[in-house]
Amino acid sequence: MNQSQDLSHQAGQKMGQAQEKTSQMTDKARETAQSAMDSMQQAGQQMQAKAQGATDAIKDSMGMNK
């Protein structure tokens, strides 16, 4: 291989490595975003359950639950 071919080969390798790294970082960001969405959904469900419990407790104390 002459120097030009060698440099071209090295550039191709570096490009492939950069694409792989970009793909890995994108996957990691996607996983992190999904985890955050799951956590927020769970927190929302817990808040909703607590609010419903508080509403039921107030209704019970006022004799409104039948």
Side-chain angles (χ1 to χ4, degrees), residues 4-5 10 12 17 24 27 31-32 38 40 48 59:
S4 177
Q5 290 173 325
Q10 288 176 7
Q17 291 170 355
Q24 290 172 355
D27 289 346
E31 291 169 9
T32 300
D38 292 345
M40 287 188 292
Q48 184 178 11
K59 285 181 178 180

Side-chain angles (χ1 to χ4, degrees), residues 9-53:
H9 178 73
Q10 288 176 7
Q13 285 183 322
K14 295 295 181 187
M15 182 128 182
Q17 291 170 355
Q19 289 173 338
E20 179 62 23
K21 185 70 172 177
T22 299
S23 177
Q24 290 172 355
M25 292 173 70
T26 300
D27 289 346
K28 181 67 174 170
R30 186 176 294 117
E31 291 169 9
T32 300
Q34 183 64 48
S35 178
M37 287 185 350
D38 292 345
S39 293
M40 287 188 292
Q41 183 175 15
Q42 184 178 12
Q45 290 171 344
Q46 289 173 349
M47 288 173 53
Q48 184 178 11
K50 287 180 182 182
Q52 184 63 51

